[in-house]
Amino acid sequence: QVQLVESGGGLVQPGGSLRLSCAASGSIVSIHAMGWYRQAPGKERELVADITSGGDTTYPDSVKGRFGISRDNDKNTVYLQMNSLKPEDAAVYYCHASIRGIYYYKREYWGQGTQVTVSS
């Protein structure tokens, strides 16, 4: 079994910064892509940032230039540095990972979510 454990959410003022972390543990052979998604009330879950095993990153225009994703492959951990936060960034942020296990090539896993609130 694989678990993704997130940390780092909280309340921040507009213009502030937060850093989210997500550590994967369990029966992991390797991790393909890791990423962050978010879901605000009444909205669909959307991609925030994605990083491949080779370090290639993807961002939507809404966060490009403000957010940065990175990963530590030795620790099976992905980070999301969020700068210049706006009220519209407020949401529950979910960690995602595509993982290769002992008996399967690829399976998708999700974290439990961490709340990010941007308010003065």
Side-chain angles (χ1 to χ4, degrees):
Q1 191 60 284
V2 172
Q3 287 187 324
L4 302 181
V5 179
E6 300 141 337
S7 61
L11 171 65
V12 63
Q13 292 185 342
S17 298
L18 279 177
R19 188 188 193 214
L20 306 182
S21 300
C22 172
S25 62
S27 301
I28 298 171
V29 172
S30 63
I31 301 179
H32 304 287
M34 301 187 81
W36 292 91
Y37 288 71
R38 67 186 180 188
Q39 188 167 20
K43 295 187 177 182
E44 294 186 354
R45 189 173 297 189
E46 63 176 358
L47 173 70
V48 176
D50 184 79
I51 183 167
T52 68
S53 57
D56 293 328
T57 58
T58 301
Y59 303 95
D61 289 342
S62 59
V63 307
K64 200 172 292 184
R66 300 187 297 121
F67 290 11
I69 189 170
S70 60
R71 62 189 282 177
D72 184 332
N73 291 328
D74 291 336
K75 296 181 179 180
N76 289 337
T77 299
V78 64
Y79 305 95
L80 182 68
Q81 178 66 44
M82 303 185 293
N83 300 323
S84 302
L85 282 160
K86 304 175 181 179
E88 53 262 42
D89 294 318
V92 177
Y93 283 68
Y94 296 92
C95 176
H96 169 264
S98 295
I99 290 175
R100 180 175 184 175
I102 298 173
Y103 302 109
Y104 55 87
Y105 177 72
K106 182 186 289 188
R107 189 172 292 176
E108 313 300 322
Y109 289 90
W110 294 90
Q112 79 283 0
T114 186
Q115 178 71 49
V116 171
T117 303
V118 184
S119 175
S120 55

